Amino acid sequence: MRLQDKVAIITGAASGMGKAIAELYAKEGAKVVVSDLNFEGAKAAADEINNAGGEAIAIQTNVTSDSDLEQLFNETKNSFGKLDILVNNAGIMDGMEPVGEISDERWDKVFAVNTGSVMKASRIAINLFLEQGHGTIVNNISAGGLYGARAGAAYTASKHAVVGLTKNTAFMYANKNIRCNGIAPGAVITNISSSMTNVSEYGASRQSLGMSINPRAGQPEEIAQMALFLGSEESSFVNGQVIAVDGGWTAY
């Protein structure tokens, strides 16, 4: 039970990597807050955890809404009395557009979800952690946050920004018993492609060039194992790192 008596919020946890992280955290003893815009999916995920002997609640959250984020953290404190781990997992794709094709609307939406919400959720969490004297943030970023050929301009830029935010947060609070790390998954079998609309033919053709050297697609559960390590005390000396979990894709 590597997370015994810990309380964790996981955003975007109704499906995919977020759900896998929530399930594994609960299995390892954490009380889990399953946060997602899709409340029915979040409720189903929480019910599965509770039926399996874990402890979880579901909270509907639009991560781009300040009031929803405040409610998420308030309900977590009301239900469990504290917060030990925040997993910023919620994210959306762009349409593979290069910068010459990107619209202001798409850019703003992708940044609001992928970058703005991470900053705002982390801001709330950090202030709770400072009061408590401890806390851990795990940001689920992407290989697109490390390289330029994994998505379109908006997604790539939004994830690169979270890499910088992760490192800065780790440095700023390293002397406060607060850690912040990131995961950079490669291709993982999830439903994130459902957030893609009006895909750029040119951008998709350019991005696809790198797929030929991808050894395989990963499973959400494989990403969850890294999230467990980074959320646990086993990684107590790991801070400010963004770790690629991609089957060797970025080793080429």
Side-chain angles (χ1 to χ4, degrees):
M1 304 293 272
R2 296 152 73 185
L3 299 178
Q4 187 68 49
D5 298 324
K6 301 291 187 182
V7 175
I9 290 174
I10 300 102
T11 66
S15 62
M17 290 181 279
K19 182 181 180 185
I21 293 168
E23 290 172 342
L24 184 57
Y25 272 30
K27 184 178 179 181
E28 292 290 341
K31 298 177 178 65
V32 174
V33 179
V34 180
S35 165
D36 205 286
L37 182 61
N38 172 11
F39 180 70
E40 289 185 3
K43 182 68 164 56
D47 287 345
E48 287 181 29
I49 289 170
N50 290 320
N51 291 338
E55 189 171 354
I57 61 172
I59 300 176
Q60 184 175 32
T61 313
N62 176 351
V63 292
T64 68
S65 165
D66 291 359
S67 60
D68 274 20
L69 286 176
E70 290 287 351
Q71 180 182 354
L72 170 62
F73 285 85
N74 287 337
E75 287 193 32
T76 299
K77 282 188 67 179
N78 290 339
S79 296
F80 299 125
K82 64 171 183 171
L83 176 68
D84 299 292
I85 307 164
L86 168 65
V87 181
N88 285 307
N89 171 77
I92 59 172
M93 283 294 293
D94 56 15
M96 298 294 179
E97 305 98 329
V99 71
E101 299 177 22
I102 193 72
S103 68
D104 289 350
E105 180 182 12
R106 176 89 82 178
W107 180 273
D108 291 345
K109 181 177 181 180
V110 170
F111 263 80
V113 175
N114 291 358
T115 310
S117 75
V118 175
M119 181 279 287
K120 291 178 179 181
S122 297
R123 181 169 60 192
I124 299 171
I126 285 292
N127 284 295
L128 286 176
F129 293 163
L130 288 171
E131 291 178 13
Q132 296 172 170
H134 73 276
T136 301
I137 296 174
V138 179
N139 292 326
N140 195 4
I141 304 172
S142 169
L146 302 176
Y147 299 91
R150 298 294 182 266
Y155 184 88
T156 302
S158 72
K159 293 296 189 175
H160 271 71
V162 178
V163 170
L165 180 64
T166 299
K167 291 177 178 294
N168 179 263
T169 301
F171 171 77
M172 288 291 189
Y173 298 102
N175 61 341
K176 300 294 185 182
N177 199 28
I178 296 171
R179 296 186 298 114
C180 183
N181 291 292
I183 306 171
V188 179
I189 298 172
T190 71
N191 64 351
I192 194 171
S193 61
S194 65
S195 67
M196 297 175 65
T197 58
N198 302 318
V199 175
S200 166
E201 182 177 345
Y202 176 75
S205 69
R206 292 292 296 164
Q207 184 273 340
S208 67
L209 294 175
M211 293 304 295
S212 63
I213 59 170
N214 182 24
R216 68 176 176 89
Q219 295 294 330
E221 292 76 16
E222 294 178 293
I223 308 304
Q225 291 291 340
M226 179 57 71
L228 172 61
F229 171 69
L230 292 176
S232 75
E233 290 305 310
E234 293 173 12
S235 62
S236 59
F237 201 49
V238 181
N239 197 18
Q241 303 305 303
V242 179
I243 302 170
V245 183
D246 62 5
W249 190 10
T250 54
Y252 287 84

